[in-house]
Amino acid sequence: MSKSVLIFDLDNTIYPVSSIAEKLFEKLYAVIEKSGDYKGDLETIKLEIQRTPFQKVAKAFSFSEQLLKDSMEVHINLTYDDPMQYFPDYELVRKLPQTKFLVTSGFSKLQHSKIDNLAIRNDFKEIVILDLQQTNETKKDIFKRLLEKYKLPKDEVLIVGDDIKSEIQAGKELGIDTVIYDRLEKYSELNVTNKIENFSELPKFL
């Protein structure tokens, strides 16, 4: 077994954001819709908010300064306190013997509330929340820091996530093996060997 360390993303990798989005983002969606001061399609914006850090969505859809300010005020104290459920196959991950880390982007308060509601905090040696309100770091920076802090050989590490432009790209740039978790079939047209749709497929990369 060559991989001793697994680094996971949270949103759409351990649980589906769509399962909580309607209630979680109700106020945020209302603020954006009422303002109308953005470019693009509202439904597309709603979808992107479910899978991309909010600040990047605001920039991509040219939110006005006022809309960005109003949206951030809603978002910064957002938590999700209702029951949540991870993907059923995540139970297979919990049984794996490798040391696990969780690296996720988002607002700290919200991400912590989701981690606690999913009851997964103890699954990880360390949890790092990349809060773009507080840092200009990227996931690549976090991965480099974890490698240095724990003296992890790159060839023993595997990064698992759903975003090819975030954690997957960061891993590639650092020379760390990656697996794209495409449970939601976001990349159905992508023909690569490191893509899985169920964690039952993960052991072949370990």
Side-chain angles (χ1 to χ4, degrees):
M1 189 173 288
S2 62
K3 302 300 181 187
S4 61
V5 175
L6 301 175
I7 302 178
F8 285 87
D9 178 38
L10 175 64
D11 299 309
N12 292 323
T13 298
I14 291 178
Y15 83 100
V17 176
S18 58
S19 66
I20 66 172
E22 187 173 348
K23 183 167 185 179
L24 174 63
F25 297 126
E26 182 180 8
K27 291 181 181 178
L28 180 62
Y29 290 162
V31 166
I32 297 169
E33 185 171 9
K34 183 178 180 181
S35 166
D37 206 354
Y38 55 82
K39 292 181 181 178
D41 175 66
L42 179 61
E43 293 307 312
T44 303
I45 291 172
K46 288 180 179 180
L47 185 61
E48 285 301 315
I49 286 172
Q50 294 181 36
R51 59 190 187 190
T52 306
F54 176 72
Q55 291 92 332
K56 292 183 179 181
V57 176
K59 184 176 181 180
F61 291 90
S62 302
F63 280 29
S64 68
E65 285 188 22
Q66 187 60 50
L67 176 54
L68 178 58
K69 180 176 180 291
D70 293 343
S71 298
M72 293 296 281
E73 285 179 1
V74 172
H75 219 144
I76 201 155
N77 286 312
L78 210 56
T79 60
Y80 193 81
D81 303 314
D82 287 353
M84 291 175 61
Q85 182 58 56
Y86 44 70
F87 288 117
D89 52 319
Y90 176 69
E91 283 292 351
L92 300 174
V93 169
R94 303 184 100 168
K95 295 175 183 177
L96 293 173
Q98 282 80 6
T99 300
K100 304 173 188 74
F101 295 87
L102 182 66
V103 178
T104 177
S105 298
F107 294 86
S108 294
K109 195 171 181 179
L110 175 58
Q111 296 304 85
H112 278 301
S113 73
K114 290 188 287 189
I115 290 164
D116 288 333
N117 278 347
L118 288 165
I120 59 171
R121 191 173 292 278
N122 291 334
D123 295 346
F124 302 97
K125 184 177 182 69
E126 184 174 338
I127 294 171
V128 182
I129 296 176
L130 190 63
D131 191 330
L132 300 181
Q133 277 290 98
Q134 302 172 7
T135 181
N136 290 320
E137 285 188 313
T138 65
K139 285 192 175 180
K140 183 178 177 180
D141 297 320
I142 302 302
F143 295 157
K144 284 175 65 177
R145 196 161 73 230
L146 288 174
L147 290 177
E148 293 166 4
K149 179 179 178 179
Y150 294 98
K151 296 179 172 55
L152 305 174
K154 288 184 181 181
D155 60 354
E156 292 186 20
V157 179
L158 183 67
I159 295 171
V160 184
D162 70 292
D163 194 337
I164 61 173
K165 294 181 180 179
S166 182
E167 60 273 355
I168 303 302
Q169 181 63 30
K172 184 178 179 181
E173 291 175 2
L174 289 169
I176 302 172
D177 288 338
T178 62
V179 166
I180 303 165
Y181 181 68
D182 196 28
R183 172 85 182 205
L184 302 177
E185 299 183 345
K186 182 175 165 184
Y187 305 113
S188 56
E189 302 301 315
L190 190 63
N191 185 22
V192 292
T193 58
N194 66 327
K195 185 179 71 168
I196 63 174
E197 294 180 4
N198 193 290
F199 283 128
S200 63
E201 304 170 70
L202 191 58
K204 66 185 178 184
F205 297 94
L206 303 178

